[in-house]
Amino acid sequence: MKIAVSAEGQELNSPVNPRFGRCEYFVIYDQQTGSIEAIANPGTSGAGGAGIKTAQALANKKIDVVLVGNVGPNAVETLNAAKIDIYSGITGTVQESIDLYKKGALTKTNQPSVDSHFGLK
Amino acid sequence: MKELLIISGKGGTGKTSIAGSFAALAAPVVLVDCDVDAANLHLLLNPEIKEEHEFFGLPKATIDKDKCTGCNLCQELCHFDAISEGMVNPFLCEGCAFCFYICPEQAISLRDNVCGHWFISNTRYGPMVHAKLGIAEDNSGKLVAEVRKNAREAAKEKNLEIIITDGPPGIGCPVISSLSGIDLALIVTEPTLSGIHDLKRVVGLCKHFGVKTAVCINKYDLDEKNTRTIEEYCAEEDIQVVGKISFDPSVTKAMLNGRPVIELAQLNVSQQINAMYNLIYRQIST
Amino acid sequence: MIISVASGKGGTGKTTVSTSLALALDRIRPVLFLDCDVEEPNAHIFLKPAIATTEKVHRPIPMIDYDKCTYCQNCSDICAFNVLAVLEKTVLIFGELCHSCGSCWYQCPEKAITQTDKEIGLIESGKSQNMDFSNGKLNIGEAMSPPLIKAVKAKISPKKTTIIDAPPGTSCPVITSVKDTDFCILVTEPTPFGLNDLKLSVEMLREIGVPCGVIVNRADIGNDDVLRYCTRENIPLLMQIPFDRKIASLYAKGTPIVVEMPEYIEKFQNVYFEIERMVQS
């Protein structure tokens, strides 16, 4: 199980980034190996469709679960198609949100939490 | 945080004059001009620019003459007719990069493209975020989004509850970008057949994106029959007419002096705008 | 001759001018009127054309041939607009983001991408008196108007004097509308808003090399700054229309000035002759 968290930095104590397509980094936690890896989000540049590009990058990384602040409709459609579980409304740090996920304290969604263009606002 | 957007579909209905007056009534408030193509709100609010930032659009293609063999493949393939005689017309290039990938000589590169600027300013009514898109530039929707993002940050930082946004005309890309996440869109219309026509199209757009709307009929006494038609249309569509503003040359006079008309407090129009603002304020704050 | 009518600021009387000019010319020569303000087309309210044909306008967006696709992600890598998401065994296409640049279907190594049509709006065509008329109507929710404007402009015929009503502003829809016209009439009003937006339009026209002149509407409501600007910049002043409650009321009812105030027929014809003289010299 690989869990990706939208983050403002590359560390476990980095705050969760409320944006998805335009967030700077994803911190990836591998539940099997316990390893941590951070990737820069390729979606941040570009004129539009950032959420789509980001979702595809996570699918390429074989992510199973994504923890985010907010996520828009195009990203949700792509994540759903990639069979990546979405947990939105996450706040706090990367570590805290991973702990909450492991405890089963988060609720899965398959709906966008914001309109399109949110990350740009 | 509550966001009020003022739009009109049709230009020249008095949207910016009303936005300027609302700024005075709501102060302290965050102000946004999303008409990045032809901004006017600054002419009423006289902002003092504090920060200026570059806005980058998609990089545009440029051809290295030394490497170009004149095969014309790029010209044949460009869907935007942006290439002729070995030159890229930057006003037509949309930054798709097609030519960059297919040039057999790798003679085409992509150059960073500053396509506008956005500003954070101080006004007598609160911080203002505004922008100027370069001439002939695409990407106004993205610049609108950038401006709105910074307005929200300014509101958070200064602990201000309300953002008032002067929107772009039309129903296209920049308007769509202005609408997302808005608490209420006030549509300013006028009692002309063109005004009614455009009102219907912009109401359709707001419905398409699920945005709550209210209508203001500006210069309503110029044609009372058309005003009644607008009121009937709004009743059918279940949209509240929150204000009917008289035609008054003082609005233009105030504009010539670079001030919102509300600052001339004795006028009938000022009272009408004030009453409309109070009604809207109650709606968005509950 | 192709004359475009534009304005930086909306609501200055652009459509009042374009429709009256077209009707004045319709009496003396063959005219084609094209409403390129496809987000908010209004000229039909004034010209009341009998619409004879309606055609849908499409733009191409990619479609995947799954028999050929190897999910190599080349298309999603090269797309500047992030239209395509290539996942395991499926490709998502977000057509509303597509600029129809053609890059993906040309470059797919497996030739697995073909084109399909996305409807973006319609063109209505017909006759208003002797004049040929067409307008574009962008579908609600569609962000990209230039392909529709190009389709409207494809109606231009060298046999007719073409009047183009352009959208307001200075961005891509306006450029698409006024590009390659012989002359652009800028309609403004004598206020700070009018002047500010007039300057932007003049800059824009100079960038793309279209000559222009100015018509000041509601000429007596403001100050002289617009006139001073035109003199300083050497921009011909083609006409001044005073503020007149009768004109405002005609506008409200969708009646062109020249229909109820025939003294304007000759004034608009003279504007045309002056433009003709400037373009030919």
Side-chain angles (χ1 to χ4, degrees):
Chain A
M1 204 61 132
K2 282 165 92 172
I3 303 153
V5 189
S6 62
E8 290 182 12
Q10 307 181 55
E11 318 289 335
L12 279 174
N13 60 7
S14 300
V16 172
N17 193 313
R19 307 180 299 172
F20 177 74
R22 302 273 174 192
C23 98
E24 283 83 4
Y25 299 99
F26 282 91
V27 176
I28 299 167
Y29 169 67
D30 188 328
Q31 234 176 344
Q32 267 90 52
T33 63
S35 71
I36 299 287
E37 179 195 5
I39 57 163
N41 178 14
T44 52
S45 59
I52 299 163
K53 190 161 192 107
T54 305
Q56 160 139 26
L58 295 181
N60 290 350
K61 283 293 239 180
K62 307 271 181 252
I63 300 297
D64 302 288
V65 172
V66 64
L67 311 182
V68 295
N70 292 292
V71 59
N74 288 347
V76 166
E77 192 179 335
T78 312
L79 290 168
N80 285 344
K83 299 190 172 58
I84 296 175
D85 290 344
I86 309 165
Y87 296 80
S88 66
I90 310 293
T91 54
T93 67
V94 173
Q95 181 73 64
E96 285 162 7
S97 51
I98 291 173
D99 291 344
L100 285 173
Y101 170 76
K102 284 201 276 194
K103 275 193 232 153
L106 300 175
T107 320
K108 197 156 90 176
T109 180
N110 55 13
Q111 296 293 323
S113 62
V114 288
D115 294 340
S116 56
H117 298 110
F118 175 86
L120 273 168
K121 275 187 253 152
Chain B
M1 194 191 302
K2 298 290 178 182
E3 290 194 65
L4 170 64
L5 172 69
I6 304 172
I7 45 174
S8 64
K10 178 173 161 31
T13 59
K15 170 174 66 64
T16 303
S17 291
I18 286 172
S21 285
F22 277 12
L25 292 166
V29 65
V30 177
L31 301 158
V32 187
D33 195 340
C34 278
D35 191 353
V36 297
D37 209 12
N40 281 152
L41 190 59
H42 65 283
L43 298 169
L44 296 181
L45 302 180
N46 195 19
E48 184 195 336
I49 293 174
K50 290 283 163 198
E51 290 177 32
E52 176 172 346
H53 300 266
E54 286 182 332
F55 173 71
F56 289 88
L58 280 177
K60 297 203 172 188
T62 173
I63 299 175
D64 182 341
K65 281 216 162 84
D66 296 338
K67 291 188 188 163
C68 177
T69 59
C71 74
N72 275 342
L73 183 62
C74 54
Q75 182 174 334
E76 281 162 32
L77 290 176
C78 177
H79 280 226
F80 308 109
D81 300 326
I83 304 177
S84 63
E85 291 160 20
M87 300 275 284
V88 178
N89 180 338
F91 301 122
L92 298 178
C93 175
E94 296 198 11
C96 72
F98 190 3
C99 55
F100 165 79
Y101 288 112
I102 53 88
C103 175
E105 311 299 329
Q106 291 168 2
I108 298 179
S109 54
L110 299 170
R111 206 168 39 185
D112 272 354
N113 168 34
V114 176
C115 70
H117 291 85
W118 58 270
F119 314 94
I120 300 183
S121 301
N122 284 341
T123 74
R124 54 196 183 279
Y125 304 127
M128 171 164 171
V129 188
H130 48 128
K132 187 174 186 308
L133 191 66
I135 298 291
E137 286 294 351
D138 198 349
N139 252 325
S140 47
K142 193 184 172 198
L143 181 53
V144 164
E146 181 76 27
V147 162
R148 293 190 58 206
K149 171 186 127 193
N150 286 283
R152 288 186 169 197
E153 278 168 15
K156 252 187 231 163
E157 194 182 303
K158 300 254 159 73
N159 220 356
L160 296 171
E161 283 299 304
I162 296 180
I163 299 176
I164 293 180
T165 301
D166 188 10
I171 60 163
C173 161
V175 188
I176 292 170
S177 186
S178 302
L179 280 173
S180 64
I182 284 291
D183 294 283
L184 181 76
L186 176 67
I187 306 172
V188 180
T189 186
E190 60 177 30
T192 63
L193 293 186
S194 308
I196 295 169
H197 178 263
D198 294 355
L199 169 67
K200 289 179 181 171
R201 284 177 60 86
V202 84
V203 164
L205 184 76
C206 290
K207 280 203 173 150
H208 182 90
F209 287 101
V211 173
K212 196 179 161 202
T213 51
V215 163
C216 162
I217 311 174
N218 196 16
K219 303 175 251 187
Y220 80 95
D221 45 354
L222 277 183
D223 192 316
E224 309 241 4
K225 184 167 159 265
N226 282 337
T227 292
R228 277 195 300 281
T229 307
I230 294 172
E231 288 174 306
E232 283 159 18
Y233 165 75
C234 289
E236 273 165 36
E237 295 288 325
D238 205 16
I239 298 168
Q240 192 182 2
V241 176
V242 289
K244 284 159 68 181
I245 315 294
S246 310
F247 171 74
D248 187 339
S250 309
V251 178
T252 307
K253 291 213 182 75
M255 189 208 293
L256 290 170
N257 292 313
R259 308 197 83 83
V261 68
I262 199 89
E263 291 188 1
L264 312 172
Q266 301 310 314
L267 297 170
N268 198 17
V269 278
S270 305
Q271 284 159 16
Q272 290 165 340
I273 293 172
N274 199 342
M276 175 166 68
Y277 180 73
N278 291 336
L279 204 59
I280 290 170
Y281 180 77
R282 276 206 298 278
Q283 284 198 6
I284 59 173
S285 54
T286 49
Chain C
M1 171 115 90
I2 307 165
I3 299 174
S4 50
V5 183
S7 66
K9 174 170 158 41
T12 54
K14 174 173 61 67
T15 304
T16 298
V17 165
S18 65
T19 53
S20 277
L21 176 65
L23 288 169
L25 288 180
D26 192 38
R27 299 165 161 260
I28 51 171
R29 61 180 64 227
V31 173
L32 166 66
F33 189 97
L34 299 177
D35 193 346
C36 286
D37 188 357
V38 301
E39 290 183 40
E40 308 285 11
N42 280 338
H44 66 97
I45 296 171
F46 296 87
L47 296 175
K48 301 176 184 66
I51 298 300
T53 58
T54 300
E55 46 194 303
K56 289 180 174 166
V57 177
H58 302 89
R59 60 186 175 88
I61 62 169
M63 188 169 71
I64 305 294
D65 179 347
Y66 281 105
D67 292 338
K68 293 182 183 165
C69 180
T70 60
Y71 307 94
C72 72
Q73 300 198 355
N74 180 64
C75 53
S76 62
D77 289 344
I78 60 170
C79 177
F81 310 104
N82 297 326
V83 173
L84 303 115
V86 182
L87 305 166
E88 230 172 282
K89 303 289 157 224
T90 182
V91 179
L92 301 182
I93 293 170
F94 295 89
E96 71 281 4
L97 300 175
C98 178
H99 286 225
S100 310
C101 73
S103 193
C104 62
W105 56 79
Y106 183 86
Q107 295 193 70
C108 173
E110 312 300 332
K111 298 274 167 261
I113 303 181
T114 54
Q115 302 173 31
T116 183
D117 282 337
K118 179 179 194 294
E119 188 188 319
I120 56 171
L122 21 111
I123 298 179
E124 295 168 333
S125 301
K127 283 247 175 203
S128 168
Q129 313 206 16
N130 302 314
M131 188 191 313
D132 286 333
F133 173 96
S134 288
N135 70 7
K137 271 191 180 159
L138 189 69
N139 283 353
I140 304 279
E142 168 67 39
M144 269 165 252
S145 58
L148 177 56
I149 295 169
K150 283 183 193 166
V152 176
K153 283 182 79 179
K155 305 267 173 201
I156 291 174
S157 144
K159 293 193 193 109
K160 302 202 175 224
T161 302
T162 304
I163 308 292
I164 290 179
D165 194 22
T170 62
S171 65
C172 22
V174 191
I175 310 265
T176 309
S177 304
V178 301
K179 184 180 164 275
D180 300 328
T181 62
D182 297 305
F183 193 90
C184 181
I185 299 174
L186 291 173
V187 185
T188 189
E189 57 179 35
T191 64
F193 289 8
L195 176 59
N196 181 73
D197 298 351
L198 173 65
K199 287 178 182 168
L200 297 174
S201 301
V202 168
E203 259 184 82
M204 179 265 295
L205 291 170
R206 285 184 176 160
E207 293 278 9
I208 61 171
V210 173
C212 69
V214 165
I215 290 182
V216 182
N217 192 19
R218 298 188 279 265
D220 42 1
I221 62 164
N223 57 26
D224 292 337
D225 290 353
V226 166
L227 300 184
R228 274 197 283 273
Y229 168 77
C230 289
T231 311
R232 197 170 64 232
E233 294 289 323
N234 212 3
I235 299 164
L237 181 66
L238 300 165
M239 195 199 304
Q240 299 197 60
I241 304 171
F243 177 77
D244 181 336
R245 268 195 104 105
K246 186 170 178 196
I247 295 178
S249 145
L250 289 175
Y251 178 80
K253 291 174 179 55
T255 308
I257 308 180
V258 292
V259 171
E260 290 284 326
M261 299 170 83
E263 66 270 28
Y264 274 93
I265 294 173
E266 202 185 328
K267 290 184 186 176
F268 276 104
Q269 287 174 349
N270 286 339
V271 166
Y272 174 79
F273 294 132
E274 197 184 335
I275 291 172
E276 195 175 45
R277 193 178 46 75
M278 286 188 281
V279 169
Q280 281 163 4
S281 68

